[in-house]
Amino acid sequence: MDENNIKVLERALLVLDTVKNAEEPLGVNEIAKECSLSPATTFRILRTFKNGGWVYQDKDEKYTIGYKISYITVRKQFRLALKETAYFIMAKLSKSENEAMNLVVRDNNQCYILEQSRTDKIVDYVPPVGTILPLHASACGKILLSELSQQLLSDILDTYTFNKLTSHTIESKESFLTALTQVREKGYALDEHESQEEGFCIAVPIRAFDGEIIAALSFSGFIGQKTVNEIDYYVNLLNNASREITGRLFY
């Protein structure tokens, strides 16, 4: 390898290590000073890493670790960026539709509410942030499992208990796999009174720049049944919001 190429690689790795080890997001000049590089060189390196998903630039134009690394080593940092990005998009949509929304992520064989936007309704039938949702009985859980590798999905489901929560809850691995196939085909998932007897939820995936599902976004707290036209309407809103979140995070 050419010596100049090695030096460029060393500088890039130094910048990445500086961002990864920082306790809070850093600006270009701060990173340049820490790495003893020029701001222009540092900016070019950061731009390359940002385009590849290795770092994330927040609303203050400061950098923290990005999707590709955070899902391996420091996932918490990226999820803070995900929360910040998603919240304002969700809040705007909740206000216009007067419906609560959830942002849900998976950790191993559990999924939980990372962020949400509520309504002004006295009761909106949505559990609080941090609530663990049932993978088999929630729309978001289905989304988060729908495109996993066969091996990882088998590992999760082989140790999973399909607790019956309502008369509509899926109770077997075989039925759940069939439901996941339908989710992949449709591009969205429903909770049709599966976690709560009268509850109804609609969810879509949020994807990374490479198409991998990193979270699920839902309208939650519906009571009763929704028509096909209503479902299509909310799915369209969710997909638009999902694309906006992806765009702000990665592009």
Side-chain angles (χ1 to χ4, degrees), residues 149-166:
S149 68
Q150 184 175 351
Q151 182 61 62
L152 179 54
L153 182 59
S154 294
D155 288 342
I156 292 173
L157 297 185
D158 284 347
T159 59
Y160 190 78
T161 302
F162 291 84
N163 292 322
K164 184 175 182 178
L165 304 177
T166 75

Side-chain angles (χ1 to χ4, degrees), residues 13 19-20 102 116 170 182 215 227:
L13 292 175
V19 174
K20 182 172 72 70
N102 281 331
Q116 64 185 188
I170 294 172
Q182 295 172 348
T227 66

Side-chain angles (χ1 to χ4, degrees), residues 43 50 55-59 61-64 248-249:
F43 174 76
K50 177 185 174 184
V55 301
Y56 166 77
Q57 188 176 25
D58 67 17
K59 64 181 184 345
E61 299 188 351
K62 293 190 174 185
Y63 293 88
T64 188
R248 291 191 184 187
L249 276 174

Side-chain angles (χ1 to χ4, degrees), residues 195-209:
S195 59
Q196 300 181 61
E197 199 62 53
E198 295 298 324
F200 194 99
C201 178
I202 306 170
V204 303
I206 295 175
R207 298 182 183 274
F209 69 98

Side-chain angles (χ1 to χ4, degrees), residues 7-243:
K7 289 182 178 179
V8 170
L9 180 59
E10 287 176 344
R11 291 170 181 170
L13 292 175
L14 179 59
V15 168
L16 192 60
D17 277 339
T18 299
V19 174
K20 182 172 72 70
N21 294 329
E23 295 183 359
E24 59 185 17
L26 299 175
V28 172
N29 291 333
E30 294 172 297
I31 298 169
K33 182 178 181 181
E34 182 72 21
C35 297
S36 299
L37 298 172
S38 72
T41 297
T42 304
F43 174 76
R44 288 195 297 270
I45 292 172
L46 288 167
R47 182 175 59 188
T48 300
F49 280 139
K50 177 185 174 184
N51 291 340
W54 297 99
V55 301
Y56 166 77
Q57 188 176 25
D58 67 17
K59 64 181 184 345
D60 297 320
E61 299 188 351
K62 293 190 174 185
Y63 293 88
T64 188
I65 212 65
Y67 160 75
K68 278 192 171 178
I69 292 181
S70 64
Y71 257 61
I72 300 171
T73 58
V74 282
R75 183 181 300 181
K76 182 178 179 181
Q77 289 188 39
F78 178 75
R79 287 187 172 173
L80 290 175
L82 175 60
K83 284 182 61 174
E84 179 183 87
T85 301
Y87 174 75
F88 295 101
I89 296 171
M90 294 165 62
K92 182 178 179 181
L93 201 49
S94 283
K95 183 176 182 180
S96 66
E97 300 301 317
N98 199 29
E99 299 293 349
M101 299 186 72
N102 281 331
L103 174 71
V104 178
V105 294
R106 179 182 65 86
D107 273 334
N108 300 319
N109 63 347
Q110 292 183 329
C111 66
Y112 67 92
I113 300 173
L114 180 67
E115 185 60 280
Q116 64 185 188
S117 52
R118 308 294 287 261
T119 69
D120 293 329
K121 298 175 183 176
I122 296 177
V123 179
D124 55 13
Y125 301 101
V126 179
V129 168
T131 299
I132 295 174
L133 303 177
L135 288 170
H136 68 300
S138 64
C140 287
K142 294 173 188 174
I143 288 291
L144 293 170
L145 266 60
S146 64
E147 294 183 12
L148 294 182
S149 68
Q150 184 175 351
Q151 182 61 62
L152 179 54
L153 182 59
S154 294
D155 288 342
I156 292 173
L157 297 185
D158 284 347
T159 59
Y160 190 78
T161 302
F162 291 84
N163 292 322
K164 184 175 182 178
L165 304 177
T166 75
S167 59
H168 302 276
T169 304
I170 294 172
E171 298 183 68
S172 71
K173 177 180 177 180
E174 292 72 24
S175 297
F176 188 59
L177 290 173
T178 298
L180 293 185
T181 298
Q182 295 172 348
V183 170
R184 287 192 295 272
E185 292 173 350
K186 293 179 178 180
Y188 65 88
L190 303 177
D191 167 4
E192 298 183 90
H193 322 307
E194 297 163 54
S195 59
Q196 300 181 61
E197 199 62 53
E198 295 298 324
F200 194 99
C201 178
I202 306 170
V204 303
I206 295 175
R207 298 182 183 274
F209 69 98
D210 59 2
E212 181 179 353
I213 295 175
I214 57 173
L217 184 67
S218 69
F219 276 113
S220 303
F222 292 130
I223 298 299
Q225 191 68 32
K226 292 296 179 183
T227 66
V228 172
N229 287 340
E230 287 175 320
I231 292 171
D232 287 344
Y233 172 78
Y234 287 113
V235 167
N236 183 59
L237 291 177
L238 287 168
N239 280 330
N240 288 339
S242 173
R243 285 190 289 268

